[in-house]
Amino acid sequence: MSDDSYTGATVTLGSDPSMDRRYREKFVGEALKLSRMEHPNIVRVMETFEANNTVYYSMEYISGGSLDDHILRSGRLAEQECLGFTREIGAALQYMHSKGMLHLDLKPQNIMLRKGDMPLPGKRQCCE
């Protein structure tokens, strides 16, 4: 994972020269599956590309920060707010699972919030 110093956007690094062909193919396949995900609570994959013998995918920029940031700023969340986040995250996970995908790294740092606090499970991964 790398942050673009100009835009601040996060770019996921999919491979490097030492990775084998099977992993590269799996990564590209997962990125393509992710790019077809259409749900209001899931960060969109914008582009998958290869450069310098490395596969990348870029995701839409979400300006609201992470759920972790929100919790740290707020100190503690009210029960109703937690329930709202849980419903939104659950809906996104249910959609992903219906498409045969799992998140594999669900934690507050990986839940992105749009302005208005709509949670987005970001940094997803697929598994078989």
Side-chain angles (χ1 to χ4, degrees), residues 1-13 56 61 112 123:
M1 181 120 14
S2 175
D3 290 331
D4 182 303
S5 60
Y6 180 73
T7 65
T10 299
V11 176
T12 302
L13 307 177
Y56 302 86
Y61 177 69
M112 303 308 295
K123 299 178 187 155

Side-chain angles (χ1 to χ4, degrees), residues 14-84:
S15 61
D16 63 40
S18 66
M19 292 185 184
D20 69 5
R21 184 178 57 83
R22 285 188 327 206
Y23 178 81
R24 180 182 295 262
E25 289 171 0
K26 183 178 179 183
F27 181 86
V28 169
E30 290 172 356
L32 291 173
K33 285 180 185 178
L34 289 171
S35 71
R36 292 190 291 267
M37 302 289 278
E38 293 183 26
H39 190 278
N41 296 345
I42 296 178
V43 176
R44 293 193 47 133
V45 170
M46 306 304 289
E47 180 180 18
T48 303
F49 60 95
E50 187 169 348
N52 302 317
N53 200 33
T54 302
V55 179
Y56 302 86
Y57 66 84
S58 63
M59 301 175 90
E60 73 177 298
Y61 177 69
I62 306 296
S63 63
S66 70
L67 179 57
D68 186 59
D69 295 334
H70 179 67
I71 293 168
L72 290 173
R73 279 192 309 271
S74 300
R76 76 193 301 201
L77 304 180
E79 181 180 356
Q80 286 303 103
E81 188 176 20
C82 289
L83 289 172

Side-chain angles (χ1 to χ4, degrees), residues 63-116:
S63 63
S66 70
L67 179 57
D68 186 59
D69 295 334
H70 179 67
I71 293 168
L72 290 173
R73 279 192 309 271
S74 300
R76 76 193 301 201
L77 304 180
E79 181 180 356
Q80 286 303 103
E81 188 176 20
C82 289
L83 289 172
F85 286 139
T86 301
R87 283 186 199 98
E88 297 294 329
I89 294 165
L93 292 173
Q94 184 175 20
Y95 174 81
M96 290 176 70
H97 295 175
S98 76
K99 302 296 183 187
M101 299 188 76
L102 299 176
H103 189 285
L104 300 183
D105 194 20
L106 189 61
K107 57 188 175 185
Q109 296 90 333
N110 291 346
I111 304 297
M112 303 308 295
L113 302 178
R114 294 188 195 279
K115 300 223 179 201

